[in-house]
Every structure is written in structure tokens, then in C-alpha cells.
């Protein structure tokens, strides 16, 4: 019988995490449970950093970016000793179940707690969109819109000066944000970790845009690409004559993660948070709440842990067809 649950946010923060905390808290309180927020992810779980979350305590947070609980990437939790000490803290604080809001590493951590016999459910949240078990994760839509605004703005200044721009976007080893912002932003090219692209191939794309009479060339580069924006820039310093345009590079970095969540991420966070708690109330543990085929549903953490969602090859092909 669940009476008291914990909720934590872990890994990179994502716009919409606060909506998920609110969704978890209010759904659990509605079931008559008590909710303890865990500060600073698994690090705070090991250290026993708990704060009680109330109906009013999670008021006024749905529109905020980041996470009111704080987040961390805990090295200690990756060790068996760390996980045993997290388990001990949960028991000492009479916590009967845990909701983990986070991405790949965080859900693999949740799965190890579940394997140790502790009731855990996950909520799919990462701007990278590389998590199996959810077509789209919390934070992706907002991060994508921030990248898109940057691309639109850079296109304006690029056109004024007849320049090519390399725009590096986040995504760790996954090219989803680069691919989708490239398609939506009308980029001339995308450089992805999933497709080996040499500097010379990028030079050909830029030069072809110049020869077509375009006033700019926008190349969206995923941070995890073999040739990232820095390596490409270095190559183009040595091969200036290849491009036609002058070249500039911009790295969006954490700007993409820091925004206030849009409507999509507020709704997704709310619905996934509620789903993770409702599953627990029905005795369903060791699952991830995600959105699959526009339905909110659960997938066993066993099918998710340690895996990475692959990019749709049709979208990669489409990006190439559209970049003319
Ligand atoms: O996983 C989210 C993410 O923003 C990745 O896109 C990026 O590679 C990483 O986190 C950055 O991590 P940190 O905030 O620890 O520098």
C-alpha cells in the first residue's frame, strides 16, 4: 500500500519538468498520498534532501523553466554502494514509491532501483529526444522552438552580409534537435552524429547554395557530430576559397535548455506526471510514462534502460530533399 512517495528530477533540466512535478504532486495528493520532493536528483536522494510538496507548494510553477527541485548528474548513484545508500535513505524516510523525471541515464538509474525491489516509475524528460518509450519527451518542443528562433534570426543577419553560418545545437549523441530544427528552419544542410559527413561534403553543400545565388547558407550541426562546428570552422579557416561566403559559427548550448516551457511541454509534463502516479496507484511499477502515437502510456523500464531511440531515416532523407 502506497502512502508516501518521493519525486525527483535528474540529469539535464528540461522545460516542462516543473509541470511534471506539479502533475505528480497533485495527482498523488488527490489519491490521499503524501509527496516528498527530493532535492538535486540522485545526489540529494543519497543525502536525504527531502522537502514536503503540498498543493500550494507546487502552485505557480507550471510556467517556469528548469526544475524547482534542482537536478544533478550523480556519479555516486552509478555505483552499487551509492544505490544501496539511496535505498536505505528511502526506507529510513518511509517512502513507499519513487517517481523519476529525467532522460536516459536517469531512467537507467530508476531501473536499477526497481531491480533492487523498490517501486519506481519514470517520466520521460530530456530535450535530446533519445529515450525509447516516448515518441517525444518533455522539453523537446520548447528547445526546438528556441533553436528555430535562433536559426530565423541568424538567417536574417547571414543574408544581409552574404554569409554562411554553422549553428551548433544540443542533443548529446542524438541528432534529433539538429535534424528537426534544420527542417523547420529551412537550413541548407544538417550535420548529424547518425550520418558521417566530412568537412568537404559540408563545403560542397555551402558552395552549391552560393552557386544557386542564395544570399545565405545555414548549416545546423549537432553537438555530437563527428565533425562538430569547431572542427568544421578550423577546416574552413584553411579552405576559405571553397565556400563563396564568409563563414561564422554560433553555438546555442544551454540557451536551448533554459527557456520557459511552451504549451506542448506544459501539457506533456502534466500528463506524464499524472500517468506515472496513476500507474503506481494501479500497482504498476518499473515503468516509464511516455507518449506513443499521441497516447499517454507506459513501457517497462526493462525495455528502455541502456537503449537509445534511433532517428527516423525518412526524416533524414527528407531534410536532404528539402534543402535546395
Ligand atoms: O541531455 C541534455 C543535454 O542538454 C545534452 O543535450 C547535452 O549534451 C548535455 O545535456 C549537457 O550537459 P551539462 O548540462 O551537464 O553540460
Amino acid at each position: 500500500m502506497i502512502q508516501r512517495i518521493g519525486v525527483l528530477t535528474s540529469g539535464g533540466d528540461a522545460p516542462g519538468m516543473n509541470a511534471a512535478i506539479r502533475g505528480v504532486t497533485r495527482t498523488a495528493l488527490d489519491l490521499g498520498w503524501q509527496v516528498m520532493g527530493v532535492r538535486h536528483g540522485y545526489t540529494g536522494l543519497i543525502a536525504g534532501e527531502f522537502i514536503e510538496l503540498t498543493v500550494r507548494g507546487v502552485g505557480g510553477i507550471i510556467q517556469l523553466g528548469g526544475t524547482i527541485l534542482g537536478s544533478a548528474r550523480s556519479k555516486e548513484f552509478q555505483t552499487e554502494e551509492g544505490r544501496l545508500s539511496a535505498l536505505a535513505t528511502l526506507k529510513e524516510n518511509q517512502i513507499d514509491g519513487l517517481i523519476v523525471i529525467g532522460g536516459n541515464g536517469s531512467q537507467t538509474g530508476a531501473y536499477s532501483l526497481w531491480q533492487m525491489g523498490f517501486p519506481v516509475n519514470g517520466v520521460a524528460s530530456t530535450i535530446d529526444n533519445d529515450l525509447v518509450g516516448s515518441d517525444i519527451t518533455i522539453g523537446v518542443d520548447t528547445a526546438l522552438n528556441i533553436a528555430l528562433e535562433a536559426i530565423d534570426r541568424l538567417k536574417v543577419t547571414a543574408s544581409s552580409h552574404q554569409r554562411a553560418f554553422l549553428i551548433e545545437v544540443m542533443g548529446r549523441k542524438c541528432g534529433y534537435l539538429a535534424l528537426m530544427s534544420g527542417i523547420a528552419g529551412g537550413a541548407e544542410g544538417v550535420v548529424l552524429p547518425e550520418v558521417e559527413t566530412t568537412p568537404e561534403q559540408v563545403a560542397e553543400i555551402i558552395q552549391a547554395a552560393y552557386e544557386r545565388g542564395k544570399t545565405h547558407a545555414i548549416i545546423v550541426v549537432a553537438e555530437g557530430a563527428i565533425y562538430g562546428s569547431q572542427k568544421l570552422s578550423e577546416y574552413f579557416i584553411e579552405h576559405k576559397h571553397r565556400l563563396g561566403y564568409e563563414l561564422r559559427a554560433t553555438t546555442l548550448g544551454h540557451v536551448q535548455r533554459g527557456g520557459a516551457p511552451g504549451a506542448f511541454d506544459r501539457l506533456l509534463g502534466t500528463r506524464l506526471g499524472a500517468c506515472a502516479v496513476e500507474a503506481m496507484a494501479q500497482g504498476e511499477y518499473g515503468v516509464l510514462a511516455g507518449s506513443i502515437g499521441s497516447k499517454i502510456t507506459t513501457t517497462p523500464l526493462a525495455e528502455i534502460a541502456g537503449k537509445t531511440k534511433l532517428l527516423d531515416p525518412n526524416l533524414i532523407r527528407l531534410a536532404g530533399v528539402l534543402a535546395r
Side-chain angles (χ1 to χ4, degrees), residues 12 73 126-128 170-172 223 254 257:
R73 299 189 193 280
T126 165
I127 64 162
D128 300 339
M170 273 191 165
R172 203 177 288 276
E223 67 170 346
H254 292 80
R257 252 175 40 192

Side-chain angles (χ1 to χ4, degrees), residues 5-9 14-28 35 53 58 61-64 66-69 99-102 107 122-126 137-139 261 264-277 289:
I5 61 163
V7 54
L8 63 81
T9 48
M17 272 185 162
N18 284 325
I21 294 169
R22 179 175 173 274
V24 165
T25 304
R26 292 197 172 165
T27 307
V35 184
L53 297 178
V58 295
I61 66 167
I62 196 167
Q63 75 279 19
L64 304 178
T67 157
I68 58 152
L69 291 175
I99 306 288
V100 173
I101 304 168
Q107 301 307 341
V123 170
S125 172
T126 165
T137 49
I138 297 169
F264 185 90
D265 283 321
R266 293 184 201 192
L267 292 170
L268 186 65
T270 301
R271 295 180 75 198
L272 295 192
C275 170
V277 172

